[in-house]
Amino acid sequence: MNIITGSNIEQLILEHLIVYWGYSFVLMVYGGYIFNPPLKVIAVVLFNQCVIGYSMLYALPIIPTITYTGSGFTDLTYTALCLMVYYVLHCIWFYCTHRLMHVRFFWRHIHHIHHTYKETLPYAAFYCHPFEHLFVNLMSGFIGPILFSRDVITLKICFHLGTLRTVHAHYSDIRGDTPGNHDLHHMFYRFNYGTGDVMDRIFGTYMKPAKL
C-alpha cells in the first residue's frame, strides 16, 4: 500500500510549490503581466504552504478513514470513483465554507485578507489567513482523502489538480471587457462562491460573466 508517510511529505510539498509558483509565473507571463509578487504575499503564501500544508499532510495518516481499502492504482475503477467523489465533496465543502467566510465575523477577522486584491492574481490565490487556508482551501482538497483512500498517487492528483484549479481561478483572464466567474466574486463579493457554478446555481448565488 503506497500510503502517505512522513518520508514523502517533503516531496509532496516541494511538488506543490513547483506547481503553484510555476503555474502562477506561466499565467502571468502569458497574460502579459509582470511577475512581481510583493514580499508580504510571498511570505504569507509560503507560510500557508510549508507550515499549514505540511502540518495537514503530517496529520493525515493519523486520522482514521471510514472506508479505506488501500487499493490505490491497483484498482483503477476504485481510484476513478474516489476522484469523482472527491470532486463532489470538494465542491460542497468549498462552497459552504467559503460562503461562511463572508459572514460578518469571519470576514472581519479572517477572509478580508484574501480580498485585499480586488483583481484576481495567480500568485495571491493562497494569500489568506492561515485558518482559512486550513479550513477552506486544504480541507476542500483533503475531505475526500480523509474519508476514503489516501494513497500517495490519488492524493497527489487531488492536491496538484486542486492547486492548478485554484491558481487558474485567480488569473484575471479578461479578454476585452468580460471577467471570469471568480473575477466577479472579487468585484462584488456576494456571488460565485463555489468551484465552477453548480453550487452557486443551486443556491442562487451565481452571476453569469458578461461584458461590463
Side-chain angles (χ1 to χ4, degrees):
M1 294 184 295
N2 197 15
I3 309 301
I4 182 72
T5 63
S7 62
N8 50 33
I9 290 175
E10 290 83 1
Q11 181 182 347
L12 265 172
I13 292 295
L14 178 60
E15 292 173 1
H16 170 64
L17 291 172
I18 293 172
V19 169
Y20 181 92
W21 292 103
Y23 192 45
S24 296
F25 176 80
V26 169
L27 288 178
M28 295 293 287
V29 172
Y30 175 76
Y33 300 99
I34 298 174
F35 185 76
N36 59 344
L39 289 178
K40 183 178 181 180
V41 172
I42 295 174
V44 171
V45 172
L46 285 177
F47 179 85
N48 284 335
Q49 292 175 311
C50 298
V51 177
I52 306 302
Y54 184 93
S55 300
M56 183 68 186
L57 285 169
Y58 188 82
L60 199 57
I62 304 172
I63 304 171
T65 55
I66 292 177
T67 58
Y68 175 66
T69 66
S71 59
F73 261 112
T74 59
D75 185 346
L76 292 178
T77 302
Y78 179 78
T79 300
L81 179 61
C82 279
L83 291 175
M84 287 188 289
V85 172
Y86 291 175
Y87 181 72
V88 173
L89 291 173
H90 165 83
C91 290
I92 294 172
W93 185 277
F94 184 81
Y95 179 88
C96 293
T97 56
H98 184 195
R99 191 166 181 180
L100 180 64
M101 289 295 109
H102 282 260
V103 172
R104 182 182 298 272
F105 175 83
F106 291 106
W107 173 271
R108 180 182 300 171
H109 296 284
I110 296 174
H111 193 52
H112 75 276
I113 296 173
H114 180 67
H115 281 268
T116 298
Y117 297 98
K118 195 143 191 171
E119 71 260 359
T120 51
L121 298 166
Y123 55 71
F126 288 159
Y127 180 66
C128 59
H129 191 284
F131 175 79
E132 178 180 350
H133 188 59
L134 174 64
F135 185 62
V136 180
N137 296 333
L138 291 178
M139 280 299 296
S140 294
F142 289 141
I143 187 65
I146 284 174
L147 296 179
F148 300 98
S149 173
R150 64 184 63 157
D151 63 279
V152 175
I153 300 297
T154 307
L155 186 64
K156 280 186 177 184
I157 293 174
C158 293
F159 200 22
H160 298 330
L161 284 183
T163 300
L164 288 171
R165 195 259 169 236
T166 303
V167 171
H168 191 80
H170 287 82
Y171 167 56
S172 293
D173 53 345
I174 298 176
R175 297 294 180 264
D177 53 0
T178 304
N181 281 359
H182 204 65
D183 296 303
L184 292 173
H185 174 74
H186 274 256
M187 293 168 67
F188 299 108
Y189 303 151
R190 297 182 294 109
F191 304 97
N192 300 350
Y193 298 100
T195 299
D197 57 18
V198 174
M199 293 294 291
D200 283 293
R201 289 181 184 274
I202 291 173
F203 290 98
T205 54
Y206 178 64
M207 175 183 279
K208 183 178 180 180
K211 291 186 178 182
L212 299 177

